[in-house]
């Protein structure tokens, strides 16, 4: 299987002249020339490169300073001449309390620890290498161009524009000081995680403007594709994990120097620690390196299992993972905030070294971060502007994957209790009226709203579409979106277009409402009643004669009645209504869910005793499940009473004298 | 009516008092029912009219169970508060039935085979109530201090050694420290019952009950801890067994009845083991008692 995959890949590489595979076998120079291409079937395996970084980084583990130098090859693929560049200096978010990251009073979500060791990045040199001579741009860097006090979004005015279609080489040197791990990046003791560690060009939009932004507490990232060739220099006792395959490793005195390179990616992260333990596994032709603290063998085994499931599952759902390698980093307890994050071909997980085996939190974070290889990595939407396109779609994919793997107990399977990840994601409903799901990360007022809406609500809306319009249609839509938009930085419109085409325009319109206009729905049973049937009584004019029909006795064994089902809110879905008779039988009636209410008539040989709307929980987006049913009598819930009593007895037996 | 006299050592056995065990089980079953009622009422109010009744709350995926928890956010704290109040009440007032049970185990009345008069038992329980309460409070404080200290020292160790040993190993070492202190707390827990046995058997005052109980512990080189521990272990295993087994039972009336049977057997077993352990403590106290001790009914 693995050998077959490699042979197929080698053929593919040979077949496309001038195309460098993004695999480790290709030389970095080849890689740098890689262009977008497709094997005809399935998604392309390589992106059209815009920015290529060749960097060298030396880590001082005592001061936590990275001294870097290198070049950026940047191609102006836009139709406009560029008078300026925009550089993201993310580490300056930790420089002082006037940064956007630290001054915004937004609590919750992640990265809320106070900064005790400031982090920053100083660009020491920036030179435009031109055939007619070097141009020093160091003085042209305006770190306050986007904000008077923030220094994460720097404008570099060019002395002469970079004309459309031209490319430029920038030579730079910088010094990055890692803070203690506050959000994702930093150090904890000798553990170092270098994310957002180098001056990075903002993404050049097709329109010719840069998608630049100040680094916000809730926002993630956005960049152009290209190749990264990075040489990392650390003390020789340190173990390094990094984006892309390792091309070389050598010892130079007391130092260890490793070189990693990867094309068709839009970021590069690395970690170094003198305590890492390493384990390798190959799944589906992908070499996976698991780096973990000592004593976490059981946790790593769970990650291995999760990856063995995830790689083939995601290939079937969203196309092949096109890289040769994946590194899974389990940060130490003291650097938990570095965990649960994605970078190209490198993800971080984390958690405790022990845990009840029925609680799949580690599996969840592993599958979730791997899923980002698609939505963040290969599709590469603007995470700051449209975070739901990454975190939201990825959260749905995570729950879908976990359910495919572990069934209904996809998050917890413990002592008969099976909790689904999809069910937990519905908590996002609580924030439906607070903010729009599809808004930029910086627009959210609270971390809880960001988490609940971007992650949970998006996932719940998508799962509702799957349950209502069918798994084949939903899977086809997601596969089409993930393969067509690979390496293309899709926008919400691209996604909605695919939903309209693969599912239906109605589904896309519903999703648009849900994502951008607080769309909500609450199905409820408002009335239920039944009575014995009897012939109609009263005064009737029949055949020109008036006759009075007296109240007749009930028809034996015949009952009539109705239920009133209402739909509140702005979203509509077709829905099932289940009517239960006193004799224990039930019937299902379909309602298109379009109006505000429907009265469903009932006739049967027994009284109507209860009714449930949406009995299979297809409409997960429903605001309230507890009004989805009504009945003429209240059950005693003996099973629940028995369980609760037993639990209370055991507690009392343990605690009472 | 004759005076109660100390029972023979051979008679201080739980198996000689099956009815007492049944009464004890009934006591905890009743209390459990009371504690469960507020939670059950909340669930019944929200889901009682669902056609699939309470089985919908146990369905795989837990969509409705989570919804119930979310939508009863406002009511749950009230139920928790009621349950906590009941627990406190049982912890305080529970010393009366405990003292009655221990008296019944340790004494008999001439001419009467089984039960001491309820009046005698109640009077005796009230007589020792303050001493029992004192024993409980002191033991609770001592156990609390030990466990808190253990957790504090364990976490200090874990934190300080995390860099050198790695977090997992440092925390495992910390857990060992916690476990050592927990063993200490267990020893206090066992001594607490020995002190109660001294009060019941020899009418010991508060201080001498403790000194005598500690003397038993040292003289018998901690053997009572083992006698307590194996019973606790058997009870714990029973709880785990029913927790694993019961979810496999079928849904419906039969399944609920089976679950009730299994759960109440486990509860009954724990009550019997507690009675058996109290008999062990009472026999120890009786064996060391300087002379025949009689209680005088008020
Ligand atoms: Zn994520």
């Amino acid at each position: 299987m693995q050998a077959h995959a490699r042979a197929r890949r080698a053929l593919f590489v040979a077949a496309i002249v001038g195309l460098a595979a993004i695999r480790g076998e290709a030389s970095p120079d080849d890689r740098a020339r890689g262009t977008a291409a497709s094997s005809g079937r399935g998604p392309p395996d390589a992106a059209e490169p815009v920015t290529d970084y060749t960097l060298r980084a030396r880590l001082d583990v005592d001061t936590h300073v990275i001294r870097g130098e290198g070049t950026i090859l940047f191609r102006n693929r836009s139709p406009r001449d560029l008078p300026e560049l925009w550089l993201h200096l993310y580490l300056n978010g930790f420089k002082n309390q006037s940064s956007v990251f630290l001054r915004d009073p937004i609590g919750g979500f992640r990265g809320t620890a106070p900064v005790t060791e400031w982090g920053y990045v100083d660009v020491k040199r920036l030179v435009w290498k031109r055939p007619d001579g070097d141009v020093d741009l160091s003085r042209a860097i305006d770190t306050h161009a986007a904000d008077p006090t923030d220094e994460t979004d720097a404008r570099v005015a060019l002395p002469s524009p970079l004309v459309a279609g031209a490319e430029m080489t920038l030579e730079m040197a910088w010094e990055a000081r890692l803070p203690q791990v506050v959000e994702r990046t930093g150090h904890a003791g000798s553990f170092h995680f270098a994310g957002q560690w180098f001056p990075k060009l903002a993404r050049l939009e097709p329109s010719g403007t840069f998608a630049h932004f100040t680094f916000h507490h809730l926002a993630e990232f956005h960049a152009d594709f290209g190749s990264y060739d990075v040489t990392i220099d650390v003390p020789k006792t340190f173990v390094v994990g990094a984006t892309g395959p390792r091309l070389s490793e050598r010892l130079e005195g007391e130092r260890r120097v490793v070189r990693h390179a990867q094309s068709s990616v839009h970021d590069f992260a690395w970690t170094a620690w003198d305590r890492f333990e390493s384990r390798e596994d190959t799944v589906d032709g992908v070499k996976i390196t698991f780096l973990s603290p000592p004593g976490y063998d059981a946790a790593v085994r769970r990650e291995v299992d999760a990856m063995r499931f995830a790689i083939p599952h995601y290939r079937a759902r969203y196309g092949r993972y096109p890289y040769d390698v994946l590194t899974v980093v389990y940060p130490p307890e003291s650097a938990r905030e570095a965990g649960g994050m994605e970078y190209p071909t490198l993800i971080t997980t984390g958690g405790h070294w022990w845990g009840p085996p029925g609680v799949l939190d580690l599996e969840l974070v592993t599958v979730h971060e791997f899923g980002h290889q698609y939505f963040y990595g290969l599709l590469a939407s603007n995470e700051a502007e449209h975070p739901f396109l990454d975190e939201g779609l990825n959260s749905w994919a995570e729950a879908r994957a976990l359910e495919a793997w572990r069934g209904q107990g996809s998050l917890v399977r413990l002592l008969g209790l099976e909790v689904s990840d999809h069910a937990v994601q519905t908590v996002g409903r609580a924030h439906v009226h607070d903010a729009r799901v599809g808004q930029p990360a910086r627009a959210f007022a609270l971390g809880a709203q960001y988490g609940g809406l971007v992650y949970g609500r998006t996932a719940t809306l998508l799962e509702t579409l799957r349950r209502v319009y069918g798994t084949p249609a939903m899977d086809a839509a997601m596969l089409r979106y993930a393969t067509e938009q690979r390496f293309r930085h899709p926008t919400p419109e691209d996604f909605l277009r695919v939903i309209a085409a693969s599912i239906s325009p109605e589904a896309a319109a519903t999703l648009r409402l849900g994502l951008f206009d607080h769309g909500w729905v609450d199905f409820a049973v408002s009335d239920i009643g039944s009575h014995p049937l009897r012939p109609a009584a009263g005064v009737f004019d029949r055949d020109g004669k008036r006759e009075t029909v007296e109240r007749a006795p009930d028809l034996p064994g015949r009952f009539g009645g109705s239920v009133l089902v209402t739909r509140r809110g702005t979203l509509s879905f077709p829905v099932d209504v289940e009517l239960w008779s006193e004799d224990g039988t039930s019937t299902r009636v379909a309602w298109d869910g379009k109006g505000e209410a429907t009265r469903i008539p009932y006739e049967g040989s027994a009284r109507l005793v209860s009714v449930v709307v949406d009995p299979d929980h297809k409409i997960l987006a429903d605001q309230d499940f507890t009004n989805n049913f009504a009945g003429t009598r209240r059950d005693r819930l003996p099973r629940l009473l028995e369980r609760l009593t037993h639990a209370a007895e055991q507690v009392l037996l343990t605690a009472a004298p | 009516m004759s005076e109660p006299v100390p029972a023979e050592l051979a008679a201080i056995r739980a198996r000689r008092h099956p009815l007492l065990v049944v009464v004890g089980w009934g006591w905890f079953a009743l209390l459990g029912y009371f504690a469960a009622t507020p939670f059950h009422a909340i669930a019944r109010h929200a889901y009682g009219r669902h056609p699939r009744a309470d089985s919908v709350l146990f369905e795989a995926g837990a969509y409705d169970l989570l919804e119930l928890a979310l939508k009863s956010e406002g009511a749950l704290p009230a139920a928790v508060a009621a349950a906590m109040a009941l627990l406190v009440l049982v912890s305080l007032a529970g010393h009366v039935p405990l003292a009655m049970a221990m008296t019944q185990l340790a004494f008999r009345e001439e001419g009467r085979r089984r039960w001491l008069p309820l009046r005698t038992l109640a009077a005796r329980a009230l007589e020792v109530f303050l001493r029992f309460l004192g024993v409980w409070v002191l033991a609770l404080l001592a156990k609390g201090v030990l466990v808190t200290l253990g957790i504090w020292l364990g976490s200090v160790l874990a934190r300080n050694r995390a860099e050198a040993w790695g977090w997992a190993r440092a925390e495992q070492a910390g857990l060992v420290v916690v476990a050592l202190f927990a063993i200490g707390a267990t020893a206090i827990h066992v001594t607490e019952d020995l002190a109660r046995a001294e009060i019941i058997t020899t009418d010991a005052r508060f201080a001498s009950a403790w000194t005598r109980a500690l003397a038993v512990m040292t003289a018998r080189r901690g053997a009572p801890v083992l006698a307590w521990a194996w019973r606790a272990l058997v009870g714990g295993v029973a709880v785990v067994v029913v927790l694993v087994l019961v979810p496999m039972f079928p849904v419906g009336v039969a399944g609920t009845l089976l679950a009730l049977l299994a759960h109440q057997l486990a509860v009954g077993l724990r009550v019997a083991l507690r009675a058996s352990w109290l008999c062990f403590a009472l026999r120890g106290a009786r064996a060391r008692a300087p002379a025949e001790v009689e209680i005088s009914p008020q």
Side-chain angles (χ1 to χ4, degrees), chain A residues 244-312:
Chain A
R246 182 161 300 176
L247 299 188
S248 68
E249 174 162 16
R250 61 180 191 279
L251 294 179
E252 287 179 2
E254 291 303 302
R255 306 289 293 182
R256 178 183 303 277
V257 181
V258 301
R259 181 174 167 219
H260 284 245
Q262 182 66 65
S263 64
S264 294
V265 292
H266 49 69
D267 201 2
F268 188 102
W270 55 281
T271 180
W273 194 26
D274 53 354
R275 306 296 299 274
F276 269 135
E277 289 184 353
S278 179
R279 169 179 171 163
E280 284 187 357
D281 197 33
T282 301
V283 180
D284 225 12
V286 179
K287 193 182 100 181
I288 311 176
T289 305
F290 296 88
L291 297 178
S292 62
Y296 283 68
D297 307 4
V300 172
R301 278 196 297 278
R302 289 170 60 187
E303 291 181 332
V304 170
D305 285 347
M307 287 313 307
R308 285 179 182 169
F309 163 77
I311 289 187

Side-chain angles (χ1 to χ4, degrees), chain A residues 275 352-353 429 467 642, chain B residues 54 63 67 163 171 263:
Chain A
R275 306 296 299 274
H352 223 272
W353 53 269
R429 287 176 298 168
R467 293 178 183 208
E642 190 280 319
Chain B
D54 62 348
Y63 291 95
E67 185 73 342
E163 188 65 23
E171 206 167 44
H263 282 150

